[in-house]
Amino acid sequence: MLIVLDEVDSTNTWAKEHFFELADGTVVAALEQTAGRGRLDRVWRSKAGRSITLSALFRRVSAGFHAGAIVGLAALEVIRALAPETEIYFKWPNDLYFADRKLAGVLSEGVVRQGELAGVVCGIGINLNQTEKELLEIGAPACSVYTISGRKNGVKKVIKALEKSITECYINYCNYPEKVLARFRAENRLIGTEVELVGATGEVFRARFRDLDADGGMVIERGGRIERFDCGDVRIVVPPETANQCPVTGGNNEE
Ligand code: BT5
């Protein structure tokens, strides 16, 4: 089921508030989101007509990060169809990137009832139609489907395509979870590369990203030792195959 709200503070907050009234797999989108949230209470910036902001609710995922895998893979498929000539990839835990710029971010939040995990709400924000100038207001390296492909798309059309893709991916997951998770792992192109990590206390270090573990955490190799890393951020060292790609348009057109 797809619900499209004209305006809401946060689709994740709305989906959590209505979690027990809505059917499993429902997708809630907002044409305008006024108080979008990222992880660790960071701000997610979006604009009406420029951004996709939606959340899906799942009752049948067995781990929180599986929700991010479902929504992330669905978004990857939709974005690849809109910008077929570009190399989009996951940056751990499940942001979507083009070269060294963020195109989309995912926020998964558990819903607990009587001390038990009842399900997960997973929201995604995608930069769709922003120009380079508008992206500068974000204050972090960002790109949009428009700046990487040169094409603008209708928000409602993309919401519908994404809802369809999320539903298909969720059905696949319910039937063959291991196949969906294997695809998610295969799309995490930073696995095997050197990455820069920022620890919980802000310390920065380099390590080799070896694999994802069963909880979606990062398995890293540092100084010959294997460690697990699940808090903080990955500061990206641009993978060689994407480092020389520039956005194909400047997206500088002002309107
Ligand atoms: C995320 O957090 O990337 C998760 C974003 C999830 C947003 C969706 S929208 C629908 C649903 N409803 C919500 O309220 N949230 C979800 P994080 O990894 O913590 O990244 C946040 C950081 O990304 C910010 O601190 C900025 O530096 C940067 N940022 C903010 N807005 C951005 C944008 N539009 N494009 C690229 N980067 C952005």
Side-chain angles (χ1 to χ4, degrees):
M1 184 165 82
L2 172 65
I3 298 171
V4 182
L5 306 170
D6 285 336
E7 187 187 306
V8 75
D9 52 356
S10 153
T11 56
N12 260 40
T13 306
W14 196 93
K16 284 199 293 182
E17 282 166 5
H18 296 81
F19 187 84
F20 295 103
E21 300 147 33
L22 298 170
D24 189 21
T26 297
V27 171
V28 182
L31 299 180
E32 181 153 18
Q33 182 173 258
T34 54
R37 297 182 284 111
R39 293 175 301 137
L40 309 170
D41 277 333
R42 292 188 281 232
V43 173
W44 182 260
R45 298 186 191 285
S46 57
K47 263 192 180 169
R50 299 287 199 255
S51 316
I52 299 298
T53 48
L54 62 74
S55 303
L57 63 93
F58 303 117
R59 295 197 216 292
R60 281 183 285 172
V61 288
S62 50
F65 96 91
H66 294 182
I70 294 164
V71 171
L73 284 169
L76 195 61
E77 188 177 296
V78 169
I79 295 169
R80 281 188 178 148
L82 299 175
E85 67 280 20
T86 56
E87 289 279 338
I88 317 288
Y89 63 95
F90 283 115
K91 173 179 159 286
W92 186 87
N94 43 19
D95 293 338
L96 286 170
Y97 262 65
F98 172 81
D100 57 352
R101 294 183 184 210
K102 184 157 164 168
L103 179 62
V106 171
L107 174 67
S108 295
E109 297 179 296
V111 178
V112 175
R113 180 152 77 172
Q114 290 165 352
E116 301 232 328
L117 187 70
V120 178
V121 164
C122 181
I124 185 164
I126 305 174
N127 299 326
L128 187 66
N129 290 327
Q130 289 98 328
T131 62
E132 286 288 2
K133 191 165 172 242
E134 288 166 334
L135 290 167
L136 286 177
E137 291 164 21
I138 291 169
C143 60
S144 68
V145 172
Y146 172 56
T147 62
I148 65 172
S149 72
R151 286 188 287 275
K152 290 206 172 173
N153 291 277
V155 167
K156 286 186 181 166
K157 181 194 86 176
V158 177
I159 288 173
K160 277 191 193 140
L162 187 51
E163 187 267 338
K164 184 167 175 279
S165 185
I166 289 171
T167 301
E168 282 167 8
C169 196
Y170 187 37
I171 291 169
N172 270 343
Y173 168 85
C174 290
N175 290 315
Y176 310 103
E178 64 295 336
K179 279 194 185 164
V180 172
L181 296 173
R183 231 183 97 212
F184 180 62
R185 187 188 174 285
E187 294 288 1
N188 269 268
R189 296 230 323 265
L190 296 189
I191 293 174
T193 68
E194 281 271 311
V195 290
E196 252 181 37
L197 302 173
V198 186
T201 54
E203 78 279 11
V204 177
F205 58 93
R206 273 179 168 243
R208 184 159 293 271
F209 183 1
R210 292 291 295 267
D211 210 344
L212 295 175
D213 71 12
D215 298 320
M218 254 183 144
V219 180
I220 59 165
E221 185 181 337
R222 163 158 74 143
R225 284 213 327 268
I226 300 292
E227 296 172 27
R228 188 176 185 279
F229 192 83
D230 64 3
C231 60
D233 265 317
V234 180
R235 181 169 296 167
I236 202 161
V237 175
V238 180
E241 66 272 27
T242 55
N244 57 0
Q245 289 183 6
C246 291
V248 293
T249 77
N252 274 325
N253 334 15
E254 286 173 43
E255 289 155 46

